[in-house]
Amino acid sequence: MHADGSLSKHKARLCCCGGKQQWGVNLYKTYAPVVAWASERSLLIMSKLHNLNSRSIDFVLVYPQAEVKTTIYLASLTRIEINTDGEDVVFRLQKNLYGLKDAGRTWWEHLSLGIDKLGFRQ
């Protein structure tokens, strides 16, 4: 916001309600690995003890970077006006969105492929 109270820029994040996803139709796997804080802390301690450098990475807008593998449609929002001559409009998702039940797993698969291409193994 500017000093006079006016907006400096407009931002929006589109989230979808994954509650309508159906198992076996457009939802198959949801498991995505996570790191326990104790494991991360142990790695940092070991790197310090052995005088190794450690770095962290913050992925910005991480979920929309991965492509959706199943066909998912999103109904248009009531606040968005689209000139369609009175026809109903739906959007087909091409990228992952926050709110999908399998968003974490889809991102993990995308990240794993990138890591494999760099020559690393799990």
Side-chain angles (χ1 to χ4, degrees), residues 40-102:
E40 187 174 345
R41 188 172 45 199
S42 298
L43 284 172
L44 290 172
I45 291 170
M46 294 297 289
S47 68
K48 185 68 177 172
L49 289 174
H50 295 287
N51 293 323
L52 300 172
N53 293 329
S54 60
R55 295 182 185 171
S56 64
I57 299 173
D58 183 19
F59 292 99
V60 178
L61 290 173
V62 68
Y63 286 171
Q65 294 178 21
E67 293 185 15
V68 176
K69 295 179 181 177
T70 58
T71 304
I72 299 176
Y73 292 97
L74 181 68
S76 64
L77 303 172
T78 56
R79 295 183 183 177
I80 296 177
E81 293 182 17
I82 302 171
N83 187 8
T84 60
D85 299 327
E87 294 180 11
D88 291 334
V89 176
V90 294
F91 304 102
R92 182 172 184 227
L93 295 182
Q94 295 179 345
K95 296 286 185 174
N96 206 7
L97 281 183
Y98 292 94
L100 292 175
K101 290 182 179 181
D102 57 346

Side-chain angles (χ1 to χ4, degrees), residues 59 106-116:
F59 292 99
T106 305
W107 161 246
W108 173 250
E109 290 172 350
H110 178 74
L111 178 64
S112 295
L113 287 174
I115 291 173
D116 289 343

Side-chain angles (χ1 to χ4, degrees), residues 4-57:
D4 64 356
S6 62
L7 290 174
S8 58
K9 60 178 146 176
H10 298 277
K11 287 185 170 184
R13 177 175 289 162
L14 179 62
C15 297
C16 59
C17 178
K20 294 188 177 184
Q21 286 181 278
Q22 296 176 3
W23 185 261
V25 176
N26 54 11
L27 175 66
Y28 299 98
K29 295 180 181 179
T30 58
Y31 172 77
V34 293
V35 177
W37 174 241
S39 300
E40 187 174 345
R41 188 172 45 199
S42 298
L43 284 172
L44 290 172
I45 291 170
M46 294 297 289
S47 68
K48 185 68 177 172
L49 289 174
H50 295 287
N51 293 323
L52 300 172
N53 293 329
S54 60
R55 295 182 185 171
S56 64
I57 299 173

